[in-house]
Amino acid sequence: MKTGTLKQILLITDGCSNQGEDPVAVAALAKEQGITVNVIGILDETQSEEAVGLQEVEGIAMSGGGISQLVYKEALPQTVQMVTKQAMTQTLQGFVNTELQQILGPTQTMEDLAPEQRGEIMEVVEDLGETCDLEVLVLIDMSASMTNKLPMVKEALFDLSISLNARIGRNRFSMYTFPGKRKEINKIFNWSPKLDKISQVFPKLTSGGITPTGPALREAIYQFSKKSLFRSFQKDDHAEEA
Amino acid sequence: MIMPKKHNRFWQPGLSIQGKWHHRSYTIKRELGSGAIGSVYLCSVNGKDVALKISDNTSSMMMEVNVLKSLSKVQGHSLGPSLLDVDDWIAPDGNAYSFYAMEYIHGEKLPIFIKKNGSVWLGVFMLQLLDDLEHLHQAGWVFGDLKTENLLVELQPPRIRWVDVGGTTKIGRAIKEYTEFYDRGFWNLGTRRAEPSYDLFAFVMIFISIYHPRKFDKGKYPKATILKKIDDIKALTLYRHCLKKAILGKYQTSAEMKQDVRTILYNERRKDKRVNSESSMLPFIVELISIGLVSGGFYISSLFIPF
């Protein structure tokens, strides 16, 4: 069986958006186009889970069909890989559920099955998660307050690539930061199977208080669609060679 | 730390949980522990104690059940707790939870046992663990999240047991669950692909963590940090060489490592015997001399006794 490619945007931020369109609405748009949006909200030592501004984090992930998690910066590496993997399982399970409903009728979901059958289905989901290809666009909030968190972000992304590259399926990563100088987002790292060059390219901070999360997300979605267009050409080329 | 998702507070002792499919009913006695996926409770069912894991994360729970089921197929060897029941529970608030019941393993935490009974037990547990790992690996699995918290020492006779096998992964795949301190990827000493050597790395970290309960940072040179820690722990001196080999990924199988540990223990026992036979001569000689002295003293004093 040929498995497809899962597309994810991983948004790493520490505050609420304050410019441009509503990121929750843009995330819904991403989901429409088959892109899952996961959000990691980084807490300051003094902040608690109920911190103002970080509530948006859950909203974006929910409407983007993804997973959100608030963490202190020390827990970033473990969290980033966990969120990415859980979101993959969730997406795949969504596919499987849709298929099931086509077979069993619209009211049947996995929860309606006896544990034995559910177990067998989860085995399929797990196999898919291990073998499918994955594309992750990492989108990092570079507003001034992120300064002391960036070393941990760097480590977390490096760690993510260790985790994902242990899978059988292929991975591709790209990295963007926002706000960009003249554009919404800045390309830091083009699509590549590994993130280990990350330390060389990790960008300098842009100061200034603006956090245009919505426009940045929209631009990220655009990068995905641009890429798939380009890729479909590439695929055709390969097909001809073969 | 990761902020935990809001937990439901109705998990109180005395609560009765009845399965939706198999209708067995479990009464909660107390909490045994909780992790990333769900909590484990000590429960009684028909007067017997079982450990019950319950969570709202149905899919992760099913994956764990799948692992427990396949481990039970590894014949003639009890790897991990045995699985007793899998079911759903509909809570009073209408939410559905998945749970499974497993054998309740009663024992002591490894560091506590070693503290009480001494480091002579290190070698024994190493061999037991390596033996279990060998069986697991031969069945095509890697433990993954091997750590001190996932082990218990059953008493009489002391036997090390695995209590949580949730991270168990098919060989060749990406490790499903791990804990940074025990993960070779975190220490820049290898991949996160499920291989026997992945478990052997975590195995060494278990024995280091007994003497560093609060763990330690990896520092600028992670490899050097670990090797230094091994050197610094006196109780591990004997095993230093093979622990380092495992950290550096030089064992392909647990059988190789087990052989090395066994050789060390065998040589040690012989050395013990030799030392014993030499030292056992010493009191004998001392005794001979002192008997001689005492009898000599009596003889001399007897010369002075007037008749």
Side-chain angles (χ1 to χ4, degrees):
Chain A
M1 188 166 74
K2 175 79 192 89
T3 50
T5 303
L6 292 187
K7 298 187 178 107
Q8 291 188 355
I9 292 174
L10 174 68
L11 171 65
I12 301 177
T13 181
D14 72 338
C16 92
S17 63
N18 55 15
Q19 205 186 49
E21 54 200 316
D22 183 1
V24 181
V26 185
L29 210 73
K31 192 187 171 191
E32 270 316 296
Q33 304 195 22
I35 304 167
T36 309
V37 184
N38 297 318
V39 193
I40 309 267
I42 311 179
L43 295 163
D44 273 317
E45 277 77 4
T46 52
Q47 279 175 310
S48 74
E49 202 180 350
E50 282 82 29
V52 194
L54 282 165
Q55 282 144 4
E56 192 185 62
V57 161
E58 201 179 335
I60 300 174
M62 263 183 36
S63 88
I67 289 173
S68 67
Q69 185 82 57
L70 296 178
V71 288
Y72 294 106
K73 63 174 196 262
E74 291 71 26
L76 262 175
Q78 194 119 27
T79 309
V80 166
Q81 61 88 21
M82 197 181 76
V83 162
T84 306
K85 281 207 222 158
Q86 273 180 8
M88 286 174 72
T89 310
Q90 190 173 299
T91 310
L92 290 166
Q93 215 180 315
F95 293 153
V96 173
N97 248 339
T98 321
E99 293 285 317
L100 273 181
Q101 280 167 357
Q102 278 174 5
I103 302 167
L104 303 171
T107 52
Q108 289 272 339
T109 60
M110 247 180 72
E111 277 66 35
D112 297 318
L113 293 172
E116 290 76 25
Q117 282 124 331
R118 216 184 300 151
E120 284 169 33
I121 292 168
M122 276 325 291
E123 220 159 288
V124 176
V125 171
E126 226 187 317
D127 284 356
L128 287 173
E130 178 70 32
T131 51
C132 72
D133 293 345
L134 173 71
E135 288 173 351
V136 184
L137 187 150
V138 184
L139 186 58
I140 306 172
D141 172 359
M142 282 283 172
S143 52
S145 56
M146 285 285 286
T147 316
N148 62 339
K149 294 151 196 159
L150 283 181
M152 268 331 252
V153 171
K154 195 159 78 176
E155 192 159 320
L157 294 176
F158 185 71
D159 191 86
L160 177 70
S161 117
I162 297 180
S163 269
L164 293 180
N165 283 325
R167 297 185 322 123
I168 295 167
R170 284 175 303 176
N171 309 291
R172 286 155 80 72
F173 304 95
S174 72
M175 196 167 103
Y176 290 81
T177 60
F178 71 98
K181 269 192 190 123
R182 268 170 221 93
K183 295 169 286 177
E184 261 71 34
I185 55 177
N186 254 345
K187 189 197 315 183
I188 300 302
F189 198 80
N190 207 356
W191 293 102
S192 134
K194 277 189 178 169
L195 271 173
D196 44 10
K197 287 194 200 79
I198 209 164
S199 41
Q200 298 154 26
V201 296
F202 218 71
K204 291 179 189 74
L205 283 158
T206 50
S207 48
I210 59 161
T211 312
T213 311
L217 260 182
R218 179 181 282 279
E219 196 55 30
I221 298 170
Y222 175 66
Q223 293 301 330
F224 255 114
S225 53
K226 207 170 72 177
K227 175 171 167 297
S228 47
L229 247 177
F230 175 67
R231 253 247 311 248
S232 63
F233 285 124
Q234 271 192 325
K235 256 189 199 150
D236 286 347
D237 289 348
H238 281 295
E240 275 165 34
E241 279 167 33
Chain B
M1 62 174 258
I2 298 171
M3 304 301 300
K5 292 261 152 78
K6 285 145 206 105
H7 269 292
N8 282 292
R9 283 285 119 231
F10 47 72
W11 309 113
Q12 302 291 339
L15 176 77
S16 171
I17 292 173
Q18 200 189 22
K20 175 182 163 187
W21 304 89
H22 305 141
H23 312 294
R24 240 164 284 172
S25 121
Y26 300 85
T27 311
I28 292 187
K29 285 181 152 176
R30 63 183 166 91
E31 189 181 306
L32 293 171
S34 70
I37 306 156
S39 308
V40 184
Y41 297 92
L42 175 63
C43 289
S44 69
V45 56
N46 303 330
K48 271 204 319 207
D49 279 350
V50 296
L52 190 96
K53 186 161 184 179
I54 191 157
S55 163
D56 55 356
N57 189 341
T58 312
S59 44
S60 299
M61 289 288 279
M62 285 323 297
M63 290 189 194
E64 290 192 19
V65 167
N66 284 346
V67 168
L68 280 166
K69 277 189 183 156
S70 31
L71 287 192
S72 67
K73 288 174 198 149
V74 180
Q75 286 186 344
H77 221 81
S78 66
L79 299 168
S82 45
L83 182 68
L84 304 171
D85 187 20
V86 187
D87 215 325
D88 295 332
W89 179 59
I90 312 295
D93 62 3
N95 285 324
Y97 293 86
S98 287
F99 70 80
Y100 60 83
M102 57 192 157
E103 169 196 7
Y104 171 50
I105 294 174
H106 189 64
E108 221 161 47
K109 293 204 167 95
L110 179 64
I112 295 174
F113 185 94
I114 296 289
K115 208 176 223 173
K116 276 191 199 161
N117 301 283
S119 55
V120 274
W121 286 92
L122 289 175
V124 178
F125 291 143
M126 280 184 189
L127 288 180
Q128 285 181 359
L129 262 178
L130 287 169
D131 196 52
D132 285 348
L133 284 175
E134 194 185 336
H135 279 89
L136 185 71
H137 296 159
Q138 274 170 0
W141 297 88
V142 157
F143 195 95
D145 202 7
L146 189 59
K147 55 177 173 181
T148 319
E149 293 83 344
N150 283 343
L151 299 172
L152 276 181
V153 181
E154 272 182 334
L155 309 168
Q156 287 157 353
R159 175 82 175 88
I160 203 151
R161 291 287 306 268
W162 299 338
V163 284
D164 188 347
V165 294
T168 308
T169 310
K170 277 186 193 141
I171 287 182
R173 297 197 160 189
I175 291 290
K176 216 186 286 173
E177 228 175 81
Y178 63 86
T179 305
E180 278 179 354
F181 183 78
Y182 302 86
D183 163 54
R184 67 180 184 187
F186 171 76
W187 293 92
N188 290 337
L189 283 163
T191 66
R192 252 172 224 149
R193 183 155 293 174
E195 299 162 338
S197 53
Y198 185 90
D199 278 345
L200 295 179
F201 181 94
F203 169 92
V204 178
M205 297 313 278
I206 286 176
F207 287 92
I208 294 178
S209 83
I210 294 176
Y211 300 93
H212 289 277
R214 278 190 223 145
K215 318 289 191 278
F216 45 87
D217 288 335
K218 59 180 167 181
K220 208 171 171 196
Y221 305 100
K223 184 166 106 181
T225 307
I226 297 186
L227 296 181
K228 171 114 187 22
K229 292 286 174 191
I230 295 177
D231 280 334
D232 289 350
I233 301 169
K234 277 211 185 81
L236 296 179
T237 310
L238 202 55
Y239 313 98
R240 192 183 284 170
H241 177 64
C242 57
L243 294 182
K244 283 183 182 171
K245 258 175 95 176
I247 284 292
L248 300 173
K250 295 205 171 129
Y251 290 115
Q252 297 307 312
T253 65
S254 19
E256 287 170 38
M257 188 169 180
K258 196 172 84 183
Q259 188 52 46
D260 276 8
V261 174
R262 194 178 277 152
T263 311
I264 290 168
L265 287 170
Y266 178 71
N267 289 342
E268 192 55 23
R269 210 158 291 152
R270 280 204 347 198
K271 226 192 305 172
D272 271 0
K273 264 189 200 145
R274 232 181 302 136
V275 171
N276 278 344
S277 56
E278 278 162 17
S279 58
S280 63
M281 284 298 283
L282 195 68
F284 180 67
I285 295 165
V286 172
E287 212 167 326
L288 255 175
I289 294 170
S290 48
I291 288 172
L293 276 176
V294 170
S295 54
F298 271 115
Y299 174 70
I300 291 165
S301 63
S302 69
L303 294 179
F304 292 99
I305 295 172
F307 289 97

